[in-house]
Amino acid sequence: MRELIIKISRSIGLYEFLLDLDTRWRTYKISRKFKKYGLETLAEADSVLTEMGIHMFPTFGTLLGAYRDKGFIPFDNDLDVGVLISERPADMQEQMARHGFKCFRQYHIPSMDDRITEEQYFYKGVQIDIFYYYEEG
């Protein structure tokens, strides 16, 4: 059915318009959830990670917003935090899940012993990216 709708919308020249409309609607919904639950998500993540003995710190857009805008960047719709990999427990995803965080994606570096570099979680529709930092030498 989806393929048929795409084929018809392309043939009448509406595909790009509908794709743009869909993208705008999804961005609007994400932005609305971020405004409603962004601070709560950050506070809950801090609480959960502290409970696990992990010290988190803001990174990337979250750090820039805290410094420059004294809050969140108006057009940024996710949270970025960093932690030291040495503090990450083996059952991190299970512990996060018990507190309402759903792991969406995990990134690895295959050429470096399959090291974890990032995990993406969702909490009440808000994405929080946890970046792992390694201590070398």
Side-chain angles (χ1 to χ4, degrees):
M1 182 66 167
R2 182 174 189 265
E3 289 78 23
L4 179 62
I5 293 171
I6 291 171
K7 186 177 179 180
I8 291 170
S9 65
R10 279 190 173 148
S11 68
I12 60 175
L14 287 178
Y15 181 74
E16 294 298 324
F17 171 75
L18 294 174
L19 190 62
D20 182 56
L21 192 63
D22 181 62
T23 301
R24 288 174 188 259
W25 176 247
R26 288 174 193 257
T27 302
Y28 169 75
K29 288 188 340 186
I30 290 168
S31 178
R32 194 175 61 186
K33 285 184 181 179
F34 186 79
K35 286 177 183 168
K36 187 172 184 179
Y37 298 114
L39 193 56
E40 179 184 337
T41 301
L42 189 60
E44 185 66 18
D46 183 48
S47 175
V48 171
L49 293 173
T50 300
E51 183 181 302
M52 287 189 266
I54 299 173
H55 302 91
M56 74 171 209
F57 48 90
T59 59
F60 305 113
T62 303
L63 178 60
L64 177 62
Y67 177 76
R68 185 185 68 190
D69 300 327
K70 308 297 185 256
F72 297 126
I73 297 173
F75 52 85
D76 193 13
N77 293 324
D78 73 343
L79 299 166
D80 305 310
V81 298
V83 301
L84 296 176
I85 192 68
S86 59
E87 295 180 352
R88 183 187 185 275
D91 64 342
M92 171 104 166
Q93 290 182 13
E94 291 81 14
Q95 290 190 49
M96 294 291 284
R98 281 196 294 272
H99 291 87
F101 289 85
K102 181 182 178 199
C103 187
F104 172 69
R105 188 175 292 147
Q106 190 177 65
Y107 293 95
H108 298 264
I109 301 176
S111 63
M112 297 182 72
D113 301 326
D114 213 27
R115 289 184 178 188
I116 300 171
T117 58
E118 178 189 355
E119 287 178 318
Q120 294 177 335
Y121 290 90
F122 280 98
Y123 179 82
K124 295 188 176 182
V126 176
Q127 181 177 327
I128 181 166
D129 301 333
I130 300 177
F131 294 92
Y132 294 103
Y133 292 85
Y134 289 80
E135 302 168 77
E136 298 291 328

